[in-house]
Amino acid sequence: MSSPETFYDVFRQQGISRRSFNKFCSLTAASLGLGPSFAPRIAHAMETKRRTPVIWMNGLECTCCSESFIRSGHPLVSDVVLSMLSLDYSHVLMAAAGHQAEAALEETRTQHAGEYILAVEGNPPLNEDGMFCIVGGRPFLEQLKEMAAGAKAIVAWGSCASNGCVQAAKPNPTQATPIHKVIRDKPIIKVPGCPPIAEVMTGVLTYILTFDRLPPLDRLGRPEMFYGQRIHDKCYRRPHFDAGQFAEEWDDENSRKGYCLYKMGCRGPTTYNACSTVRWNEGVSFPIQSGHGCIGCSEENFWDNGPFYDRLAEVQTPLGVEANADKIGLTAAGVIGAGVAAHAAVSALTRVRNPNSGE
Amino acid sequence: MNGFEGSFLGNSDRISPDAALECGVCWWVYDPTQGDETWQIPAGTPFAELPAHWRCPSCDAAASQFMVLHDDDAELQQKPRPAIPESRAQLRQRERQILAAYTAVDARMRDLPVYNGKLTIQVVGLQSWQESLLAVLVTPWCMNILRLPGDSERLPIEGSSRDIAFPSGSYSFTSGQVEGLGAIESCSLFSPMEQFDDPLVAREVAAHALEALLQAPEPAPISRRHFLRGGRNSTDDAAR
């Protein structure tokens, strides 16, 4: 696929109407929190820019990220997937196999050196020289490093690539290691979640392709627009939390009433993700809405943070709430000035304001 | 009789005795000063007191099809009853009510790990705002913008969210029920409250937040270049 076609050409070839193309652009602008004025710009970029090759690699993982990705809400998004990904390299989606596939990978690496985006699902195990994950006869670690060298940017899909996930849980026999600890010389966008929300994944990719730069990232390298708030902040059961109304058992009266699941082990208060706003399956629902607490799957070491059904109790792990996101120095009462309090207030307010509404 | 399709959402009490109503089907007008000869309704009968069997004498449409044509008193009647306390004493009373409600909640929250024992329950900056009450609630487990609706306002169903516009932008509020307080709407600023050490600091942050909420942002300076090119301002380019 070396022809200089644009995304729009690809869409047209697949028989997608101008109307649904525009719809896709405005939906994407909205999901990126950019406001309607950006839709024409996304459309313009898609019409004029050359297709950026995306290579999707799979290491030690369960493919749930790919599965989530190809089920993203708007039908056209899956077409984005097919036109951007399958043509180059992806274990799950490509038609080629064996030597042919590896040849395609090699071709992209050499022909588009420095241009392509490397999407990594899963992570490399380092133990026994990487023997626990072999792709095309070689350790995945080797392939990963080789492909990363020529990549423009790397997207770490899912919790495996971002922070290790289940294979890195104690005692981690294969020494599965998140990719930012293996590759240190490339910009890495972490999109944690097990799996991440489909719209978040397509949104991140569209942002990079449209604006030709990385989305704004938080301190942990996650896109701010999707990981800037806790599940708890926008949870529809939040008023029950505030009012001290909790489910105490899975089948008690309170859980039937839809009370807060915090006492049942919900990790909402310590989890940064967009589930409570974007939701899943085209915005139909999300775990808490289905009656199950959040398990905090986008947080670091979530497998090691105690049983899912134990209350967050002693889960004030230093890695949980404290170290994350925007901690503000509001301690030490006598020391802080009025400026600090005002700044904290304004930044909290900015965080909860609807995008683009105050400008 | 109720269910006026076009008038006051079916609230026939809202139609003043002098109101003239128009048939939504054939535009025949019922004027109370004239009455209705066809149905032998004497002049001076308010629309709301027409017999149940009364129908449009011109086209036989049901009374519920009628809409208010002009109603001088309706303006007055539409205004909500003075549910919003205006005086300082009334505000103090509402504040005490909120404090009492959340003090009751406090007993249930106290043994939870999210409870920050260094903080106290405070209601900061309670004030009336657009026919409702607005404040920032500080508790050992959360800091929320709290909106108490006026008596005549019906909130959306519990757990649903809606956007409310403030001078500084629009914010998503979720409605809920608090025992002793009734229906409220809230927008979370902080929760859990682990970054606060001191109730005074929390109070100060809350006051600043409320102030910023009700303050319109200064308009971004329009650059001449962008103005001439038809752009609105320089932030248009940047993706935030």
Side-chain angles (χ1 to χ4, degrees), chain A residues 41 89 185 245 342:
Chain A
R41 298 191 48 198
Y89 185 84
D185 55 349
Q245 299 161 334

Side-chain angles (χ1 to χ4, degrees), chain A residues 41 207 230 232 236 238 240 242-245 262 311 313 321-322 330 333 338 345 349 351-354 357-358, chain B residues 105 108 112-113 141-142 144 158-159 163 168 170-171 179 188-189 191-192 194-196 198 204-205 213 217 237 239:
Chain A
R41 298 191 48 198
Y207 189 100
R230 298 170 199 192
H232 186 58
Y236 82 108
R238 175 61 191 277
H240 292 301
D242 294 340
Q245 299 161 334
Y262 172 72
R311 185 196 305 175
V321 185
E322 292 286 336
L330 287 175
L349 209 58
R351 191 164 37 85
V352 298
R353 180 183 303 144
N354 295 331
S357 69
Chain B
V105 173
R108 294 198 295 271
L112 296 182
W141 58 93
C142 68
N144 291 344
E158 211 182 332
D163 294 339
S168 61
S170 98
Y171 298 82
E179 292 136 70
S188 165
L189 290 175
S191 175
E194 81 282 342
Q195 64 264 66
F196 292 95
D198 183 323
E204 197 172 334
V205 171
L213 176 75
D237 293 332

Side-chain angles (χ1 to χ4, degrees), chain B residues 91-164:
Chain B
L91 275 178
R92 282 294 303 168
Q93 196 202 335
R94 285 303 291 256
E95 189 174 322
R96 276 198 295 274
Q97 188 195 358
I98 301 171
L99 284 174
Y102 281 96
T103 306
V105 173
D106 186 89
R108 294 198 295 271
M109 301 296 287
R110 190 157 292 167
D111 58 341
L112 296 182
V114 281
Y115 187 92
N116 183 346
K118 293 173 194 146
L119 301 179
T120 52
I121 298 176
Q122 307 176 67
V123 176
V124 182
L126 185 70
Q127 56 189 273
S128 51
W129 185 80
Q130 293 194 354
E131 318 202 336
S132 64
L133 284 177
L134 199 65
V136 174
L137 171 77
V138 181
T139 65
W141 58 93
C142 68
M143 185 192 291
N144 291 344
I145 308 170
L146 193 66
R147 183 177 168 277
L148 304 177
D151 278 358
S152 57
E153 184 182 343
R154 203 175 300 156
L155 286 187
I157 189 168
E158 211 182 332
S160 61
S161 300
R162 61 168 179 155
D163 294 339
I164 299 182

Side-chain angles (χ1 to χ4, degrees), chain A residues 22-271:
Chain A
N22 283 336
K23 194 171 165 195
F24 164 75
C25 292
S26 53
L27 279 177
T28 306
S31 77
L32 291 171
L34 291 177
S37 63
F38 278 89
R41 298 191 48 198
I42 293 178
H44 182 72
M46 292 255 171
E47 282 162 5
T48 51
K49 278 204 185 131
R50 277 183 60 165
R51 236 164 43 85
T52 309
V54 178
I55 289 178
W56 188 301
M57 295 176 70
N58 304 59
L60 216 54
E61 45 84 26
C62 74
T63 315
C64 73
C65 302
S66 296
E67 290 291 339
S68 167
F69 193 63
I70 60 181
R71 278 162 184 74
S72 67
H74 194 270
L76 218 108
V77 176
S78 58
D79 295 318
V80 174
V81 178
L82 294 176
S83 38
M84 292 193 297
L85 306 178
S86 70
L87 304 177
D88 291 47
Y89 185 84
S90 155
H91 287 174
V92 181
L93 300 173
M94 66 188 169
H99 292 299
Q100 198 187 5
E102 298 305 315
L105 182 66
E106 186 58 27
E107 189 187 312
T108 311
R109 188 175 72 87
T110 47
Q111 284 190 359
H112 297 281
E115 283 175 30
Y116 60 85
I117 293 170
L118 182 64
V120 184
E121 180 182 355
N123 55 25
L126 303 185
N127 213 359
E128 307 282 355
D129 297 325
M131 284 305 137
F132 293 104
C133 184
I134 303 288
V135 181
R138 291 188 303 156
F140 174 63
L141 178 64
E142 222 171 82
Q143 193 192 29
L144 175 67
K145 282 187 169 164
E146 195 178 287
M147 293 310 295
K152 184 163 70 174
I154 300 175
V155 184
W157 277 156
S159 292
C160 298
S162 307
N163 50 42
C165 205
V166 67
Q167 61 271 43
K170 285 171 195 155
N172 192 359
T174 63
Q175 255 192 59
T177 309
I179 59 169
H180 63 270
K181 293 190 179 157
V182 180
I183 295 159
R184 296 180 178 277
D185 55 349
K186 292 283 171 183
I188 297 180
I189 308 165
K190 293 188 203 165
V191 186
C194 190
I197 304 170
E199 281 75 10
V200 169
M201 305 175 83
T202 46
V204 168
L205 267 191
T206 313
Y207 189 100
I208 302 173
L209 299 170
T210 309
F211 297 105
D212 236 346
R213 66 178 155 189
L214 305 187
L217 304 178
D218 68 7
R219 273 192 352 195
L220 296 178
R222 305 172 295 191
E224 261 175 12
M225 63 266 257
F226 296 116
Y227 295 90
Q229 291 202 39
R230 298 170 199 192
I231 303 284
H232 186 58
D233 290 333
K234 295 274 170 168
C235 178
Y236 82 108
R237 297 197 187 197
R238 175 61 191 277
H240 292 301
F241 174 89
D242 294 340
Q245 299 161 334
F246 297 101
E248 309 273 348
E249 293 286 336
W250 286 117
D251 54 354
D252 69 357
E253 186 57 29
N254 290 352
S255 84
R256 250 171 251 135
K257 282 184 190 155
Y259 282 3
C260 177
L261 296 170
Y262 172 72
K263 286 189 177 179
M264 306 307 297
C266 180
R267 300 287 196 268
T270 53
T271 304

